[in-house]
Amino acid sequence: MPCPRVLRLLRGGLPRLGWELARPARGSASAPGAADFNSFVARTNTCGELRSAHVGQEVTLYGWIQYQRHGLFLVLRDFQGLTQIILPQDEAHSHVRKLLSNAPVESVVRVTGIVSSRPPGQENPKMPTGDIEVKVETAEILNSCKKLPFEIKDFIKKSEALRMQYRYLDLRSFQLQYNLRLRSQIVMRMREYLCNLHGFVDVETPTLFKRTPGGAKEFLVPSREAGKFYSLPQSPQQFKQLLMVGGVDRYFQVARCYRDEGSRPDRQPEFTQIDIEMSFVDQAGIQRLIEGLLQYSWPQERGAVTTPFPSMTYEEALAGYGTDKPDTRFGMKIVDISDILRRSDIQFVQNALSYPRGTVKAICIPQGVRYLKNKDLESLKESAKSQFNQEVMDMICRPDGSLKSLLTKLLGKEQQSELMRALNVQVDDVVLLAAGEHKRVCSALGSLRLESADLLEAAGMMLRDPTAFHFLWVVDFPLFLPKEENPAELESAHHPFTAPHPADTNLLYSDPTKVRSQHYDLVLNGNEIGGGSIRIHNAEQQRFVLEKVLKEDSEVLSHLLEALEFGAPPHGGIALGLDRLISLIVGAPSIRDVIAFPKSFRGRDLMGNAPDYVTPEELEPYHIQVSWPVAETEAKKN
């Protein structure tokens, strides 16, 4: 189903954005930059623009047959909307009636006729063209449509696999038309803001490069030189830094990026970023730029964007929300209750608090007794156990205001009261409590906070306003994190080119685990939509990070290190995830709904059946051999 916020717009087709230039009347002098949808083509009008002012005019429309009824009328659709077409009933035009009556739905037709007012009482206020109809005089079937694999209607449910197999049919839906056109207009506004108003230069960077350390896995592309491969860069990171060394000063690109991350939920192997880099800038400057960019390009119908955006440190985000991308549209924050329970005789609490980073924290689920079933609570506790190896206990506030829990007999009345005040517990609320290592406890409760919100809303509680957009900067990330597979080694929290916080520069050489970075993320409604940093512009510092801290072979990045020695300016930048941003604006359940030709969950193109096998003869110029028995076995499986 289309998002409720855009249903009204979908009926009209083309999104009407507050900053959209008005289209001039046909025949009038076009204002500079005004859209004329009927220039260069044979039609006189689109199917979405006819109104009462056009009554009496002869028009020619082109489009797809959306609907037809008993040889009386049909509805014609194009990218901009719908127009009702009345079929002639007189004998002189019987061939026209027969032609259009027999045409299958979704056939492409041309009709010419006279615009008329609909009979009184038959107007359709839900259609922008609902006051008129076109009485057809001549028609032509330009291309007949064979039997469809699914109906081209937004309210008809179809599997995502089928939609992607026939993506060219799915693209005809009003929802996807709306999404793609809105995306196009937002990108155009971003270009205006960056290039025309602030002097950025749009530069295309290569997509064939070489493998570089750190970050997500990169796709390899074979070359004709034996044993040598290109790599598809996961972002233009190095190139935009080199552009700063080259004196470009302000770079911008709608950048295609690639990551070989396999089957990860709502991710794509190829995706688009709004990529930005500036010289002589600090973190505050980048943040002001992005706030202005979003304010300028934001669709007016979505409400005003208020700046400056609030900011929160990484540690604050983890402690209060259990994640570095907090959804601040609702409460249920994580509360530290260590001091309250420190005096208790609860053994697992005392065990947790005996460790250096030990803590006891809790979240309060409002009206959890009314909206959640016992199986829901058990599911939440099992989720914490399976995902985070974290035990969670629940407490329920009875109608008399007392707490029901296995822990209450170990807590005095005063402690129970303190606990309820700290968590603001009301009748029928449910408390989830966890004790253990700080980060694990926070992460587990942060995950349960979101799962609980989903359960509450599924049960009918209005918790997160679907029309609200809460932006948030998260700053002061650690520069390095222990590797999951080997905690004794470090990896970059962002990427290896991120500069340390100026106050922590000395710690880089003495205790890198304590260094904060000049890395900043932009979060919208609990989703990371952008990330960037101030870069290391000193070659020696960059070499130290690569070789001494990350234990990487700096020779792979010798071109960048050498460039930094030739008078590299201080610089920084950011990349906005365009697909994620647009999906949040339109309320799409997946980023695949705002990409014209996306890949499946497993990274496959179901329409063109890619990736596909190639023959040994095709591989020969690349000096590659494949274990063909294995390949043939896989082919049989598929």
Side-chain angles (χ1 to χ4, degrees), residues 353-570:
L353 295 177
S354 66
Y355 290 99
R357 292 282 286 171
T359 188
V360 187
K361 291 177 177 281
I363 60 172
C364 180
I365 305 174
Q367 299 297 291
V369 173
R370 291 178 54 197
Y371 286 94
L372 304 182
K373 299 180 174 65
N374 285 335
K375 68 174 184 178
D376 294 328
L377 292 176
E378 291 305 316
S379 173
L380 290 171
K381 289 190 282 188
E382 178 55 36
S383 175
K385 180 68 175 175
S386 60
Q387 292 186 57
F388 302 95
N389 193 28
Q390 178 64 56
E391 295 287 350
V392 172
M393 298 199 70
D394 63 276
M395 296 177 159
I396 292 172
C397 186
R398 296 188 181 101
D400 65 0
S402 64
L403 289 176
K404 176 188 174 184
S405 171
L406 295 174
L407 299 180
T408 50
K409 61 183 178 182
L410 301 175
L411 295 173
K413 291 286 186 183
E414 186 178 337
Q415 283 181 311
Q416 290 187 40
S417 297
E418 279 188 76
L419 195 62
M420 293 178 72
R421 282 196 300 272
L423 293 164
N424 192 26
V425 178
Q426 307 294 323
V427 171
D428 286 342
D429 287 355
V430 173
V431 172
L432 298 181
L433 179 149
E437 190 273 329
H438 173 75
K439 186 171 182 179
R440 189 173 73 231
V441 165
C442 291
S443 299
L445 289 177
S447 178
L448 296 187
R449 174 179 179 265
L450 296 176
E451 288 182 47
S452 300
D454 290 340
L455 290 169
L456 290 173
E457 290 182 334
M461 177 185 282
M462 177 67 171
L463 195 63
R464 292 169 289 197
D465 182 355
T467 65
F469 295 96
H470 285 213
F471 289 96
L472 174 73
W473 288 109
V474 179
V475 300
D476 288 356
F477 284 81
L479 187 58
F480 307 108
L481 293 171
K483 288 184 177 180
E484 283 190 24
E485 63 275 16
N486 184 3
E489 296 182 2
L490 296 177
E491 62 184 1
S492 296
H494 186 46
H495 58 54
F497 315 114
T498 302
H501 193 287
D504 295 350
T505 301
N506 289 336
L507 288 172
L508 179 65
Y509 305 96
S510 59
D511 192 351
T513 60
K514 294 180 179 178
V515 179
R516 292 169 297 164
S517 69
Q518 295 190 70
H519 161 202
Y520 32 85
D521 277 354
L522 182 58
V523 176
L524 173 59
N525 293 356
N527 296 270
E528 180 192 332
I529 61 165
S533 67
I534 301 301
R535 324 301 187 187
I536 297 172
H537 67 280
N538 177 279
E540 288 308 310
Q541 189 177 82
Q542 184 66 79
R543 186 174 282 108
F544 178 85
V545 167
L546 291 168
E547 295 177 354
K548 304 301 182 183
V549 181
L550 300 177
K551 313 298 183 186
E552 296 279 4
D553 180 6
S554 64
E555 194 59 33
V556 179
L557 291 166
S558 58
H559 58 283
L560 178 62
L561 291 168
E562 185 176 25
L564 295 180
E565 293 177 323
F566 287 109

Side-chain angles (χ1 to χ4, degrees), residues 279-386:
S279 293
F280 313 112
V281 71
D282 59 12
Q283 181 171 312
I286 295 288
Q287 289 174 333
R288 288 197 306 273
L289 171 78
I290 296 304
E291 289 169 358
L293 172 69
L294 289 169
Q295 208 170 32
Y296 187 85
S297 58
W298 196 256
Q300 193 175 44
E301 73 218 30
R302 295 292 185 265
V305 171
T306 303
T307 60
F309 299 157
S311 184
M312 184 182 298
T313 68
Y314 168 81
E315 287 298 336
E316 288 170 339
L318 183 64
Y321 297 91
T323 176
D324 58 7
K325 43 182 183 290
D327 188 343
T328 56
R329 288 175 296 171
F330 68 107
M332 290 173 58
K333 288 180 65 174
I334 300 169
V335 178
D336 192 324
I337 53 174
S338 301
D339 289 342
I340 297 173
L341 298 187
R342 198 179 300 276
R343 306 184 305 274
S344 72
D345 294 327
I346 304 172
Q347 192 59 48
F348 76 88
V349 167
Q350 296 306 321
N351 290 344
L353 295 177
S354 66
Y355 290 99
R357 292 282 286 171
T359 188
V360 187
K361 291 177 177 281
I363 60 172
C364 180
I365 305 174
Q367 299 297 291
V369 173
R370 291 178 54 197
Y371 286 94
L372 304 182
K373 299 180 174 65
N374 285 335
K375 68 174 184 178
D376 294 328
L377 292 176
E378 291 305 316
S379 173
L380 290 171
K381 289 190 282 188
E382 178 55 36
S383 175
K385 180 68 175 175
S386 60

